Amino acid sequence: MILLGVNIDHVATLRQARYRDEEETFGNFIEPDPAEMAWLAEDAGADGITMHIREDRRHVQLEDVQRYQEKMKTRLNLETSMSLEMVQLAHEIRPESVCLVPENRKEVTTEGGLDVRGNIERANEVVRELLQNGMPVSMFIDPDPDQLEACAEIGAPWVELHTGRFARAWYDLEKREDELNTLKDSMKIGLELGLRVNAGHGINYDNVQGAKTLESIYEFNIGHSIISRSVRTGLEESVQKMRSLLNE
Ligand code: PXP
């Protein structure tokens, strides 16, 4: 069984497009409500909820996460950067897991994986601190053997392989095959290193057919495509559909 983590950030993106200057984040005329949509996704079968509080707070706000936690039914996977401020925030929020991601303020979405090898001292510090405080850590990395080894060296228990390049190559058969093989090789290395391997980014209702062939994948974290489809079909359908495609 492949688990589905639903990333709810884009619900907050829609709210911020209209109401970013309001003092409140929900209630009265303010919509949509990320916490409510997270609960709905859980009712529809999501195995977990992912939220990313970005340093510039461009979509999810701290209040969204705290409100979700009040009535959550599954588990919260909090995405954050490795900055001092964000790691401190993770300690306050105390999610069921933390996914460490790189952050570049100009990017539209998380563009590349975290350079664990290039920032190994800071990564080591953050992973240890979070683990000591009972928060399992996942490292969002490109499918690159050296990055996988760096994650294992610092004792990170989980990784999330960045599937963005594979997703973008979906309509180029040769490139798609190459990217899928790169993911499969990384998957194998990750498992040999004793890591739990998740994956995500850019997965949609078409390319999930290829993505799910990654043997022993534990969980996919999927956001944009599920939220986009829900505009047409409703969130219940879009979550259920993705879940059934992953496991049919
Ligand atoms: N995993 C990570 C670490 C992410 O940062 C994101 C969102 O950028 C996702 C998964 C979900 O990606 P998408 O919205 O493209 O499904």
Side-chain angles (χ1 to χ4, degrees):
M1 167 104 170
I2 302 172
L3 301 185
L4 172 62
V6 175
N7 182 316
I8 225 80
D9 297 351
H10 293 290
V11 177
T13 302
L14 184 56
R15 179 196 56 206
Q16 298 301 94
R18 173 63 60 93
Y19 297 119
R20 77 167 64 87
D21 295 329
E22 296 294 326
E23 277 184 21
E24 306 298 330
T25 54
F26 75 104
N28 297 328
F29 48 81
I30 296 170
E31 60 185 2
D33 178 4
E36 193 188 333
M37 296 303 263
W39 299 322
L40 256 175
E42 290 178 324
D43 289 341
D47 298 290
I49 297 296
T50 293
M51 294 191 190
H52 183 178
I53 303 194
R54 293 186 73 105
E55 289 170 11
D56 63 9
R57 306 296 195 278
R58 75 167 74 144
H59 41 55
V60 174
Q61 309 297 308
L62 176 59
E63 301 85 71
D64 296 323
V65 177
Q66 290 172 330
R67 286 191 59 245
Y68 161 68
Q69 284 179 306
E70 282 168 20
K71 286 195 260 169
M72 64 189 279
K73 297 183 185 122
T74 59
R75 57 189 156 80
L76 171 65
N77 177 43
L78 181 75
E79 285 184 22
T80 69
S81 74
M82 295 200 294
S83 75
L84 279 176
E85 181 211 348
M86 299 315 292
V87 174
Q88 176 60 36
L89 200 61
H91 281 93
E92 282 166 35
I93 294 171
R94 298 206 65 82
E96 279 61 40
S97 62
V98 175
C99 181
L100 294 175
V101 300
E103 246 184 66
N104 159 7
R105 289 194 183 212
K106 290 201 190 115
E107 68 192 358
V108 176
T109 180
T110 317
E111 278 165 6
L114 191 62
D115 181 8
V116 181
R117 177 63 74 203
N119 296 282
I120 198 144
E121 275 178 33
R122 177 67 186 148
N124 187 30
E125 225 171 65
V126 176
V127 166
R128 277 184 195 287
E129 206 185 309
L130 291 167
L131 287 177
Q132 273 162 12
N133 285 284
M135 287 172 271
V137 192
S138 179
M139 315 295 279
F140 184 53
I141 54 168
D142 288 325
D144 169 347
D146 190 38
Q147 295 295 344
L148 283 150
E149 277 157 24
C151 291
E153 275 167 40
I154 61 171
W158 308 343
V159 290
E160 180 171 325
L161 297 179
H162 195 315
T163 48
R165 280 210 312 265
F166 159 74
R168 289 201 166 242
W170 184 249
Y171 294 102
D172 176 335
L173 289 190
E174 206 176 314
K175 213 165 157 214
R176 173 212 289 193
E177 225 27 56
D178 283 352
E179 295 296 348
L180 189 57
N181 285 333
T182 304
L183 285 165
K184 284 183 175 165
D185 292 346
S186 290
M187 179 87 223
K188 198 161 159 260
I189 294 169
L191 294 175
E192 280 166 9
L193 289 167
L195 299 165
R196 186 175 105 179
V197 185
N198 299 329
H201 202 94
I203 300 301
N204 61 30
Y205 294 81
D206 293 327
N207 63 35
V208 69
Q209 300 296 351
K212 73 178 183 187
T213 64
L214 286 173
E215 219 178 304
S216 304
I217 193 81
Y218 190 85
E219 178 170 77
F220 279 102
N221 278 306
I222 308 177
H224 190 265
S225 191
I226 290 178
I227 302 305
S228 299
R229 185 182 173 102
S230 77
V231 175
R232 183 162 51 83
T233 67
L235 190 63
E236 191 179 6
E237 192 277 347
S238 67
V239 171
Q240 282 172 354
K241 177 78 180 167
M242 187 57 87
R243 206 161 178 274
S244 68
L245 287 176
L246 278 173
N247 290 293
E248 69 190 359

